[in-house]
Amino acid sequence: MSSSNYWTRMRNRRLSRRAVLRSAATAGVGAAGLALVGCGDDDDDQPQAVAQQQQQQDQPQADAQQQQDQQQEAQAAQQAADQAEQQEQAAAQQDAAQQQQQQAATAQAQQELEAPPIGGELKISDTSDLASFDGFLTFGYKAFLHGHNCYPMLTQFSNNPGQSSIDFQPELWLAESYEQPDDVTWLFNIKENAVWEDREPVNGRNVTAEDVAFSFEEERYGGYPNRGAIQPSLVGVDAPDDRTVRFDLNGPLAPFLLYLGHHAGPYVMPPELLVDEMSRQTMISAGPFLLDEYEPGSRVIYKRNPNYFDAPKPYADSLVINFIGDNSAIAAAFLSGELNTTWFGVAPPIVEELENGIPGATWEYQPSLVIGGVFPDLALEPFNDPRVRQAMSVAIDRDAILTVGGALERGQWSTALPPLAGWWVDPKEDDALGEFYRYNPEKAMQLLDAAGVDGLDGVPFHTTTAYGPIFAEQSQVVQANLLQVGISVDLVVNEPTVHYSTIFNGSNTGVIGHTLSVASIEPDEALRNVFIPDSPRSPIPNGELMGEDQQMLDLLNAQRTEGDVETRRKLLYDLQLHIANQMYSVPWVNPPISQVARPELSGVQFIQTFAPSPSLEDMWFNDL
């Protein structure tokens, strides 16, 4: 029955009831009058008065009843109107939902028609070969550059249109979803369609939560050089079931999601690959690319993974990484099309040539976030005296170093931090911080005199070819600067493999090391990796001596847990100033990173990271 019929019947029912009452009242009065007249009553006023009195008594009740009936009618009418309006709204919502579904279907169909084409060969270069495909067993950032093509992580750095290459924000990757029951517990659900490639010994099986937990195990990850990011906060990782990973921390860690996607891992690897350390020689992929061919000293070739869980990415059919150490050769390869994009930038001396020679190319320029410097052995006399280390710092002409790299105008100076926006303080503009950074040979000699040092001879000064020829030339500038103030160093140029196993991790004592250290995404990471006394990531020989500096350790711990931005900024300034006074490392410079992609590539969005795979899998060729 319709609502309108229901309310019509109720109104008719009330009207009929009132009609009956009126009829009964009229009949009663007439009978009484006739009876009284028949009795011959000579008092005609009395019955009339009685009738009027009765009518006066009944009238308020009748009026009240009428008012109640009117109110009920009004309420019924309003309810009917409200219900009709609700029905109209429901119908409108249903129409809107159907329209949205139609629009979504149309958009999906349009997207399928406009999906980037699949094909083409991405061709990039690196300055040198990698020592191993496993950055856990043989540490070196080269392994991470390659590993991210094959090994997924729970999160990765987002790569949205218009996003800066140094704006590091986390997004889910291998993880489908997550929840955080409390400040110290994180639960992640693994994507069901993530599978390892179909080859021995995994044979195309699913990526499981156990694989993730294995990658974070203490015996595997505990000595891993990236431990400064998550490891100090990590209590345990386990897999309640095949698709769920649980992380337990010992306290809140604000950048936890960002650290899970850190460009140096730890990547998720199948445990089977560790049998007989196969991971040194090969990779088994669940990521965007499959390792296809490795030519030592020449190149690494990858092909598109057809079973990638984020299909249809990657859009390129293949990825070729060529080992080219000479800038002239790199420039020629870009101009001819033998290289078509970068993953870690091009050297400043060839930027102008490429800008002029490749019209329509996509460019981005951002400061390098790599920490580097000169790292004297803290136990080696007289470098155990902070005044000697300060003297080394003011003896170095940092602008001359940038000039060698062709980056004087765009380059910046490191402090204990790379130029992370909002946290780093420019020593050129801060008088207190800049005291031990500004080039001042006279002050250097005064500091050496105060430390009782009258010249030094034959100190081993180790550098490397791992970062290209410019870095070795810059080491010669440092050598000349130090000689000017009476410190004579013997330059030792190491091959990358030797460098990474000795100077890079500070294990070679009795020397001064010159190296790049870490590319940092967060101040906490930059500071803890270098200045925590037991950090295996620190290039400072005998760095455990920093454990005697309680003030620095207190500041390091305070900034890691401080949630207020302004308070943390003050703590980080105090740290930069304190470390400048101690000069445990003599900070280096930060030239700009210049990224380029030839005009035949679309979807170009760079990430300044050791893990550039998200940017590579998003690119496609627009002329296919």
Side-chain angles (χ1 to χ4, degrees), residues 245-259:
V245 184
R246 176 188 172 112
F247 288 81
D248 292 303
L249 308 181
N250 58 19
L253 180 60
F256 180 68
L257 287 175
L258 190 62
Y259 280 168

Side-chain angles (χ1 to χ4, degrees), residues 404-452:
V404 170
L408 179 59
E409 293 183 2
R410 293 176 176 171
Q412 295 173 319
W413 297 357
S414 283
T415 63
L417 292 177
L420 290 161
W423 310 112
W424 167 80
V425 177
D426 191 343
K428 288 185 176 182
E429 299 179 357
D430 187 276
D431 288 339
L433 188 59
E435 180 181 359
F436 298 117
Y437 287 88
R438 300 187 187 97
Y439 177 54
N440 191 337
E442 183 178 350
K443 183 177 180 67
M445 288 186 283
Q446 292 171 354
L447 288 165
L448 290 173
D449 287 343

Side-chain angles (χ1 to χ4, degrees), residues 311-339:
K313 297 179 182 181
Y315 302 120
D317 264 340
S318 60
L319 167 65
V320 179
I321 302 170
N322 302 278
F323 304 136
I324 308 175
D326 180 71
N327 284 327
S328 298
I330 292 173
F334 267 109
L335 292 172
S336 67
E338 294 176 23
L339 297 177

Side-chain angles (χ1 to χ4, degrees), residues 135 139-149 151 153 155-157 165-166 168 173 224 226 229 257-267 343-344 369-371 420 517-522 525-526 529 537 607-614:
F139 178 70
Y141 81 91
K142 305 289 186 180
F144 302 128
L145 283 165
H146 291 264
H148 202 256
N149 295 324
Y151 301 130
M153 294 187 287
T155 68
Q156 64 180 1
F157 300 152
S165 65
I166 57 174
F168 300 107
W173 188 20
Y224 174 52
N226 191 39
L257 287 175
L258 190 62
Y259 280 168
L260 279 181
H262 192 281
H263 49 202
Y267 299 126
W343 70 346
F344 216 50
L369 299 182
V370 175
I371 297 175
L420 290 161
S517 179
V518 293
S520 302
I521 61 173
E522 224 279 334
E525 174 199 8
N529 278 337
R537 191 72 164 90
I607 303 177
Q608 192 188 128
T609 169
F610 291 167
S613 187

